[in-house]
């Protein structure tokens, strides 16, 4: 269910998405509120799940992750037990930074980071091909990133 956001709520979430390190005073000033009402609004947005957390944006290359791969996985059968085992095994791989069930000819898409192609090859052979129920794996390497989620999500306009 989509949360109802007024103009001030949209200002707050956009400001926090742009810079989650804003102090409550800075945030209140930007939204033209006093600190207490501003804090209550932010707390409500957190409680309603609009704000799901605060994170530092890390540069994968600065951390040594030179390869970004989109890995499409098809599995044999999607029984409950196999699906749970597959999901748990994928979630246990730290190099898998995103994991989605998808529609289309494949069943899942993983976004994977690796130090280099040799590192990815080892991960593919030792972990990804050995995941429970895997039928096939197709890898697409990112050659150039034009837009990631660094800028965040668009804040929807007011309804109406």
């Amino acid at each position: 269910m989509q949360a109802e956001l007024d103009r001030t709520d949209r200002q707050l979430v956009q400001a926090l998405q742009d810079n989650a390190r804003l102090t409550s005073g800075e945030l209140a000033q930007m939204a033209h509120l006093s600190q207490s009402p501003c804090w209550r609004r932010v707390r409500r947005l957190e409680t309603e799940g609009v704000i799901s957390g605060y994170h530092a944006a890390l540069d994968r290359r600065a951390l040594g992750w030179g390869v970004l791969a989109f890995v499409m996985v098809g599995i044999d059968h999607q029984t409950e037990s196999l699906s749970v085992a597959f999901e748990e095994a994928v979630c246990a791989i730290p190099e898998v930074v995103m994991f989605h069930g998808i529609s289309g000819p494949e069943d899942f898409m993983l976004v994977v980071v690796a130090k280099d192609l040799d590192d990815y090859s080892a991960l593919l052979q030792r972990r990804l091909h050995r995941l429970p129920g895997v039928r096939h794996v197709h890898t697409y390497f990112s050659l150039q990133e034009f837009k990631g989620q660094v800028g965040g999500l668009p804040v929807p306009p007011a309804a109406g």
Side-chain angles (χ1 to χ4, degrees), residues 115-152:
K115 291 180 170 107
D116 54 32
L117 290 176
D118 290 336
D119 189 45
Y120 178 77
S121 178
L123 178 68
L124 179 66
Q125 297 303 318
R126 294 187 185 125
R127 303 285 303 268
L128 301 179
H129 278 162
R130 296 179 184 181
L131 289 167
V134 167
R135 181 174 20 112
H136 60 263
V137 175
H138 298 284
T139 302
Y140 301 88
F141 292 104
S142 173
L143 301 177
Q144 185 176 8
E145 183 175 311
F146 297 101
K147 183 177 181 181
Q149 195 167 326
V150 175

Side-chain angles (χ1 to χ4, degrees), residues 71-90:
V71 182
M72 312 306 277
V73 179
I75 61 174
D76 284 326
H77 305 287
Q78 287 194 354
T79 65
E80 181 67 25
S81 61
L82 181 60
S83 292
V84 169
F86 178 82
E87 291 165 17
E88 289 174 353
V90 171

Side-chain angles (χ1 to χ4, degrees), residues 9 15 32-33 42 48 53 57 64 66 72 90 92 98 127-128 135 145 153:
D9 291 336
H32 307 290
L33 296 171
V42 170
E48 291 176 357
M72 312 306 277
V90 171
M98 290 180 72
R127 303 285 303 268
L128 301 179
R135 181 174 20 112
E145 183 175 311
L153 294 171

Side-chain angles (χ1 to χ4, degrees), residues 30-43:
M30 290 176 73
H32 307 290
L33 296 171
S34 62
Q35 279 189 285
S36 292
C38 182
W39 180 86
R40 282 193 296 272
R41 278 182 179 256
V42 170
R43 183 72 185 119

